[in-house]
Amino acid sequence: MKPKYGGGRPHTFTPEERSEIIELAQIPPKVAGYPFTNWSLSKLKQAVEERKIVSSISIETLRVILGEAKITYQNTKNVEGIKRSGI
């Protein structure tokens, strides 16, 4: 039998904040009023903070929140964009 290990620190952000972050990540940046075609994690971080969804968030936390929502992103040398899955 496996032990029920909670694993790490509890979530810092509320379910509502996480939901708003996920919702923003699924909107094309141009539709959200930004002058680029794909979200990068750093651009999404900036947008989340500008819109005051949360006061501050790390790129790694964004990566975890998007991963939990099954939103994938591509990260190559020149292009970093978030792909919206059929959620």
Side-chain angles (χ1 to χ4, degrees), residues 12 16 63 81 86:
T12 305
E16 292 79 18
R63 189 185 323 261

Side-chain angles (χ1 to χ4, degrees), residues 13-32:
F13 302 111
T14 67
E16 292 79 18
E17 291 167 332
R18 297 167 83 80
S19 177
E20 285 186 60
I21 291 167
I22 292 164
E23 190 176 309
L24 180 60
Q26 295 182 86
I27 299 170
K30 292 239 185 227
V31 173

Side-chain angles (χ1 to χ4, degrees), residues 3-85:
K4 293 187 180 188
Y5 173 66
R9 184 177 161 188
H11 293 304
T12 305
F13 302 111
T14 67
E16 292 79 18
E17 291 167 332
R18 297 167 83 80
S19 177
E20 285 186 60
I21 291 167
I22 292 164
E23 190 176 309
L24 180 60
Q26 295 182 86
I27 299 170
K30 292 239 185 227
V31 173
Y34 294 93
F36 38 87
T37 56
N38 289 316
W39 288 116
S40 68
L41 291 173
S42 59
K43 288 175 183 173
L44 184 60
K45 170 188 175 358
Q46 184 178 356
V48 165
E49 291 171 354
E50 281 175 0
R51 290 169 176 249
K52 300 193 184 329
I53 295 172
V54 296
S55 59
S56 179
I57 189 168
S58 72
I59 288 176
E60 187 56 34
T61 300
L62 267 179
R63 189 185 323 261
V64 169
I65 290 171
L66 297 177
E68 289 171 353
K70 305 283 191 263
I71 298 174
T72 59
Y73 54 90
Q74 59 189 20
N75 186 4
T76 62
K77 267 187 187 169
N78 298 325
V79 178
E80 185 178 337
I82 296 174
K83 293 181 181 177
R84 290 163 289 284
S85 59

